[in-house]
């Protein structure tokens, strides 16, 4: 932990009100202390570092000028919220960040009145802000609404849909574009800052109103407006935003409080329509290791503040995402129709491995999942073999396109669904809980789930060969279990599972990575003389009807297991067994799924305990259903 100066001003900041009346020099010192605090905290907890460091001055300036919580500050994505949390009464809790029972790594409504809108997915802030603005107007209030959105989030169509709507409506709304990467800005300097102060000032806006009154009667209003708009666009950029109905201010230096504060004060005084402030910042600002890193330390594990070295455990087995990336790259060596699409997550999905080998067939479309899916559909429609590698939680954003553009047309898009299941510290916003149900509901879709890294490699090969319909395979975050992957990888037979252990009394049918827990549960049960079958379904659709019916017929108890929400694999099994009459003769069946709640962040093991999906829970559920056996003995074995 960093040793702090005894004269720290930050120690007296318990809410944004404590920033009011501070001198510019004091605010600069507070900003520096916030930056140090963020670095110190994240070195202990891990989390999003670079994005928070990039908005320190912006956050200090916003809270110094505006009046939260009456004024609503909505942070897009929310991974840049650490400085905001420090300034809004949560500084003493920051070292619980992303831990069980601690602070969320994102904004969260039930955590603080200063978080008016929760977010962990990108590009929602302007839509939500427009909603807050209209709610204010309809209720006769007079507060400000400020949306802070990054340039990466501006790659999503939703942001422009919201701007188009808000710009046409003319409600008072302030959008701050935090531009830390894109080349949409001309060089930022003294002239740009000066012009931004000028166009946001009262005299300039007053002159505009006088000129409008003079030229309106003689029919020159529209040409004059366009001339001024394009002059400002030429000098400073922003013509596009003006066309969407926003008054554009910028670009400005997002780290210069001497520029930020007067501009925000000017904008706060403006009463007309929506405004966009274009602030240029540096991701990772103020911490050299982050500034010099390729990803600006976007997401980090615990690290040394001095060296910047991250404390990562030595992997025991390759990560699932790397198995996917490596397998797909090998396939592409002999198949020039294979291509890959990701939505701003090349390293997260390991599509960067493919990109290094085949840059012309690798496409990062930005934070635009809807576009990614339909783009893949277009590729498939003209004979390519696209793999769309998207996190489960993000694929939800493109579900209409999966239905309309892929499934209805039976196009062979292959969905590589990363981060399927629980994800630990990122919590409910990033958990891949629902893809089994939402994809399994679609006619013609092939749905697979990998129980280990070899199974994942085989599913990649299998998907590559499915050319008559869409397919999907899900796999979790983290390392595999250490299964060796051979040079030659055989595809799976569509719709066929496998039996790993034969028994006669209890059947455990697993879909995905709970298979290892099922095998452990079988050992616990066999220690009590109970005979257990363990099967790996592999496919949720088409379901292995023969396997499911056999397990139902030959066992007293059938338990289905999945790391997904209710309404998924277990429901498909129950429905099939009901249709064939297999539930008419006394079979005891118990589906085990994720609980019907949004689980808060914790360690993965703690989340599995809460979900009731460990070997101990599986064995106990089997004994409970069977009506014989010793649950206390199961607990003893589990704790041994």
């Amino acid at each position: 932990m960093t040793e702090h100066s005894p004269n720290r001003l930050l120690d007296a900041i318990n809410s944004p009100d404590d920033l009011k009346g501070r001198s510019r020099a004091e605010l600069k010192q507070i900003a520096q202390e916030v930056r140090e605090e963020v670095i110190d905290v994240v070195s202990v907890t891990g989390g999003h570092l670079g994005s928070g460091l990039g908005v320190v001055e912006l956050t200090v300036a916003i809270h110094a000028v505006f009046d939260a919580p009456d004024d609503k500050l909505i942070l897009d994505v929310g991974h840049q919220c650490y400085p905001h949390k420090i300034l809004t009464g949560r500084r003493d809790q920051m070292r619980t960040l992303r831990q069980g029972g601690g602070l969320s790594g994102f904004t969260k409504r039930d955590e603080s009145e200063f978080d008016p809108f929760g977010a962990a997915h990108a590009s929602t802030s302007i839509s939500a802000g427009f909603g807050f603005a209209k709610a204010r107007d309809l209720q006769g209030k007079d507060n400000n609404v400020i949306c802070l959105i990054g340039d990466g989030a501006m790659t999503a169509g939703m942001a422009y849909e919201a701007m188009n709507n808000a710009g046409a409506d003319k409600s008072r709304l302030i959008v701050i574009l935090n531009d830390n990467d894109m080349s949409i800005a001309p060089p930022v300097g003294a002239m740009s800052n000066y012009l931004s102060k000028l166009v946001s000032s009262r005299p300039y806006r007053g002159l505009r109103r006088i000129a409008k009154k003079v030229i309106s009667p003689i029919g020159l209003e529209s040409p004059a407006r366009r001339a001024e708009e394009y002059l400002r666009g030429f000098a400073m950029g922003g013509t596009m935003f003006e066309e969407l109905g926003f008054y554009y201010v910028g670009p400005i230096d997002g780290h210069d409080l001497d520029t930020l504060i007067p501009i925000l004060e000017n904008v706060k005084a403006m009463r007309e329509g929506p405004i966009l402030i274009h602030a240029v910042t540096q991701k990772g600002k103020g911490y050299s290791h982050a500034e010099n890193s390729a990803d600006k330390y976007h997401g980090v594990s615990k690290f040394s503040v001095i060296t910047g070295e991250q404390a990562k455990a030595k992997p025991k087995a390759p990560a699932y995402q790397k198995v996917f990336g490596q397998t797909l790259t090998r396939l592409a060596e002999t198949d020039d129709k294979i291509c890959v699409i990701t939505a701003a997550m090349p390293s997260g999905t390991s599509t960067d491995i493919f990109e290094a080998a085949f840059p012309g067939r690798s496409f990062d479309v930005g934070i635009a999942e809807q576009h990614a899916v339909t783009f893949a559909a277009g590729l498939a429609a003209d004979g390519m073999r696209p793999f769309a590698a998207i996190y489960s939680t993000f694929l939800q954003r493109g579900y209409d396109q999966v239905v309309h553009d892929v499934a209805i047309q039976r196009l062979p898009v292959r969905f590589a669904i990363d981060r399927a299941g629980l994800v630990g510290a990122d919590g409910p916003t990033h958990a891949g809980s629902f893809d089994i149900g939402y994809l399994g509901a679609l006619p013609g879709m092939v749905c697979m789930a990998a129980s280990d890294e070899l199974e994942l490699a085989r599913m990649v090969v299998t998907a590559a060969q499915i050319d008559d319909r869409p397919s999907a395979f899900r796999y979790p975050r983290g390392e595999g279990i250490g299964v060796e992957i051979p040079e030659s990888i055989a595809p799976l037979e569509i719709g066929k599972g496998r039996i790993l252990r034969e028994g006669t009394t209890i059947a455990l049918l697993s879909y995905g990575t709970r298979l290892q827990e099922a095998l452990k549960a079988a050992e616990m049960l066999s220690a009590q003389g109970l005979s257990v079958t363990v099967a790996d379904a592999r496919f949720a659709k088409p379901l292995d009807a023969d396997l499911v019916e056999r397990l139902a017929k030959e066992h007293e108890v059938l338990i289905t297991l999945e790391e997904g929400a209710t309404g998924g694999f277990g429901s498909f099994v129950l429905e099939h067994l009901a249709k064939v009459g297999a539930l008419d003769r006394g079979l005891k069946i118990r589906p085990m799924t994720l609980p019907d709640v949004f689980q808060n962040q914790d360690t993965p093991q703690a989340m599995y305990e809460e979900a009731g999906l460990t070997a101990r829970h599986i064995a106990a559920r089997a004994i409970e259903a069977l009506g014989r056996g010793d649950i206390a003995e199961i607990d003893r074995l589990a704790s041994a």
Side-chain angles (χ1 to χ4, degrees):
M1 184 178 296
T2 304
E3 289 190 14
H4 298 306
S5 164
N7 299 318
R8 282 215 317 170
L9 296 177
L10 185 59
D11 293 338
I13 308 299
N14 298 306
S15 80
D17 284 344
D18 296 326
L19 296 172
K20 304 297 187 289
R22 295 278 184 174
S23 69
R24 205 66 57 78
E26 287 177 319
L27 291 176
K28 289 176 183 178
Q29 181 180 333
I30 289 168
Q32 179 56 32
E33 291 172 1
V34 167
R35 178 168 279 110
E36 292 168 357
E37 187 80 2
V38 170
I39 295 168
D40 197 20
V41 165
V42 181
S43 73
V44 174
T45 65
H48 293 100
L49 180 63
S51 49
L53 296 180
V55 298
V56 169
E57 286 82 10
L58 268 174
T59 307
V60 170
I62 289 167
H63 279 308
V65 171
F66 292 97
D67 301 306
D70 291 334
D71 289 338
K72 309 300 181 185
L73 173 59
I74 302 168
L75 303 181
D76 207 281
V77 184
H79 59 212
Q80 79 281 49
C81 68
Y82 302 173
H84 164 73
K85 293 197 177 196
I86 289 169
L87 295 172
T88 53
R90 287 169 275 183
R91 182 167 53 91
D92 292 342
Q93 300 170 270
M94 289 300 291
R95 283 159 186 77
T96 70
L97 198 67
R98 306 173 77 246
Q99 299 172 29
L103 295 179
S104 169
F106 305 97
T107 52
K108 192 172 183 181
R109 277 175 57 82
D110 61 9
E111 187 177 289
S112 171
E113 64 177 342
F114 292 100
D115 293 358
F117 198 77
H121 288 189
S123 315
T124 62
S125 61
I126 304 175
S127 296
F130 182 44
F132 275 97
K134 292 307 296 181
R136 171 201 63 207
D137 297 344
L138 291 169
Q139 297 175 80
K141 299 177 183 177
D142 192 38
N143 59 287
N144 294 285
V145 179
I146 307 101
C147 308
L148 178 58
I149 182 169
D151 57 293
M154 293 295 284
T155 62
M158 183 176 178
Y160 295 96
E161 293 171 17
M163 291 188 72
N164 182 58
N165 191 191
D169 183 84
K170 300 300 182 186
S171 286
R172 186 160 50 89
L173 174 68
I174 300 166
V175 174
I176 301 175
L177 170 58
N178 172 36
D179 177 5
N180 59 29
D181 198 25
M182 291 174 63
S183 57
I184 60 175
V188 175
M191 180 58 72
S192 177
N193 288 340
Y194 169 75
L195 290 171
S196 296
K197 289 180 186 178
L198 174 66
V199 300
S200 66
S201 68
R202 186 183 299 273
Y204 178 86
R205 289 182 282 115
L207 183 61
R208 289 177 93 228
R209 283 192 291 270
I210 293 169
K212 183 177 179 181
K213 290 178 182 178
V214 170
I215 64 178
S216 289
I218 56 177
L220 294 177
E221 180 179 5
S222 181
R225 179 183 63 80
R226 289 192 175 276
E228 187 235 15
E229 172 187 314
Y230 283 102
L231 180 61
R232 286 196 292 124
F234 175 77
M236 297 173 289
T239 298
M240 174 182 66
F241 301 116
E242 293 276 359
E243 290 293 333
L244 287 169
F246 278 69
Y247 186 90
Y248 177 84
V249 177
I252 63 175
D253 184 345
H255 299 297
D256 182 0
L257 285 171
D258 290 325
T259 296
L260 284 171
I261 289 176
I263 287 176
L264 290 178
E265 289 172 341
N266 287 341
V267 166
K268 182 179 180 181
M270 294 170 70
R271 313 310 291 174
E272 64 268 18
I275 302 155
L276 185 133
I277 302 171
H278 182 174
V280 178
T281 63
Q282 180 182 6
K283 197 171 184 180
K285 174 73 172 177
Y287 185 53
S288 60
H289 299 293
E291 291 178 353
N292 298 326
S293 169
D295 66 355
K296 307 299 182 187
Y297 277 43
H298 175 72
V300 297
S301 55
K302 298 176 184 180
F303 65 93
S304 165
V305 174
I306 297 171
T307 67
E309 184 178 357
Q310 297 185 47
K312 291 185 177 179
K314 188 174 181 181
K316 300 172 185 174
Y320 281 96
Q321 67 197 55
K322 289 194 178 298
V323 172
F324 161 69
Q326 291 165 351
T327 305
L328 190 64
T329 303
R330 286 171 56 187
L331 289 177
E333 291 171 357
T334 55
D335 187 343
D336 62 6
K337 291 187 180 297
I338 288 177
C339 51
V340 69
I341 301 99
T342 187
M345 299 298 292
S347 60
T349 58
S350 284
T351 55
D352 55 351
I353 298 173
F354 187 99
E355 182 181 12
F358 304 104
R361 288 189 267 157
S362 180
F363 307 99
D364 180 358
V365 302
I367 304 174
E369 291 84 5
Q370 292 173 286
H371 164 60
V373 173
T374 304
F375 174 48
L379 286 164
D382 206 30
M384 297 299 288
R385 293 193 174 94
F387 282 74
I390 303 175
Y391 290 6
S392 172
T393 184
F394 297 149
L395 186 58
Q396 293 162 187
R397 296 162 66 96
Y399 186 59
D400 179 64
Q401 286 66 35
V402 176
V403 176
H404 183 273
D405 299 335
V406 176
I408 289 176
Q409 302 186 90
R410 291 184 65 88
L411 290 171
V413 175
R414 297 122 180 116
F415 293 99
I417 305 176
D418 202 338
R419 297 335 194 246
L422 299 175
V423 292
D426 281 337
T429 56
H430 284 60
S433 305
F434 308 110
D435 60 271
I436 304 172
Y438 71 64
L439 292 179
L442 301 180
M445 179 72 72
V446 176
C447 297
M448 300 173 269
S451 56
D452 59 47
E453 56 267 50
L454 175 56
E455 287 292 296
L456 172 57
R458 296 188 69 184
M459 288 173 184
V460 176
V461 174
T462 304
Q465 296 184 2
I466 299 174
D467 276 328
D468 61 344
R469 52 189 155 162
S471 58
F473 48 94
R474 75 188 320 251
Y475 48 99
R477 180 181 191 172
E479 299 173 2
I481 64 171
V483 177
E484 186 175 348
I485 301 174
E487 282 295 316
S488 179
I489 303 170
L492 302 173
E493 182 181 354
I494 302 295
K496 290 298 177 183
R498 58 174 177 155
I499 291 179
L500 287 83
R501 174 179 178 140
E502 290 273 13
T504 57
T505 306
I506 297 166
L508 305 178
L509 177 58
S510 175
Y511 181 63
T513 51
R514 290 293 88 192
L515 181 64
Q516 301 308 311
E517 292 300 304
L519 290 167
K520 292 177 187 175
E523 289 295 328
M524 294 177 177
L525 293 165
S526 66
Q528 297 193 33
L530 299 172
S531 182
V532 183
T533 294
V534 178
D536 178 8
R538 283 177 166 160
F539 294 85
K541 192 167 190 175
L543 195 65
D544 189 340
D546 292 339
L547 175 61
V548 169
E549 291 173 32
R550 177 188 160 193
L551 295 177
K553 181 180 179 180
E554 297 178 357
H555 299 80
E556 296 178 55
V557 171
L558 171 59
I559 292 179
T560 65
L561 303 167
E562 63 196 292
E563 196 172 332
T566 184
F569 174 70
S571 296
F572 302 156
V573 171
L574 278 166
E575 184 176 354
H576 176 76
L577 292 176
K579 284 180 177 178
V580 299
L583 302 182
D584 301 345
R585 50 180 180 269
L587 173 70
K588 297 173 181 177
I589 183 166
R590 300 290 187 271
M592 296 184 71
T593 67
L594 293 176
D596 193 26
V597 298
F598 291 105
Q599 287 182 260
N600 286 324
Q601 77 273 1
D602 211 325
T603 63
Q605 186 56 38
M607 295 185 79
Y608 288 128
E609 283 286 341
E610 181 187 5
L613 286 177
T614 68
R616 175 177 66 86
H617 292 99
I618 296 165
R621 181 68 62 87
I623 287 174
E624 189 180 88
L626 187 64
R628 59 183 186 273
D630 187 349
I631 293 179
E633 177 64 12
I634 295 297
D635 291 338
R636 188 191 68 77
L637 289 171
S639 60

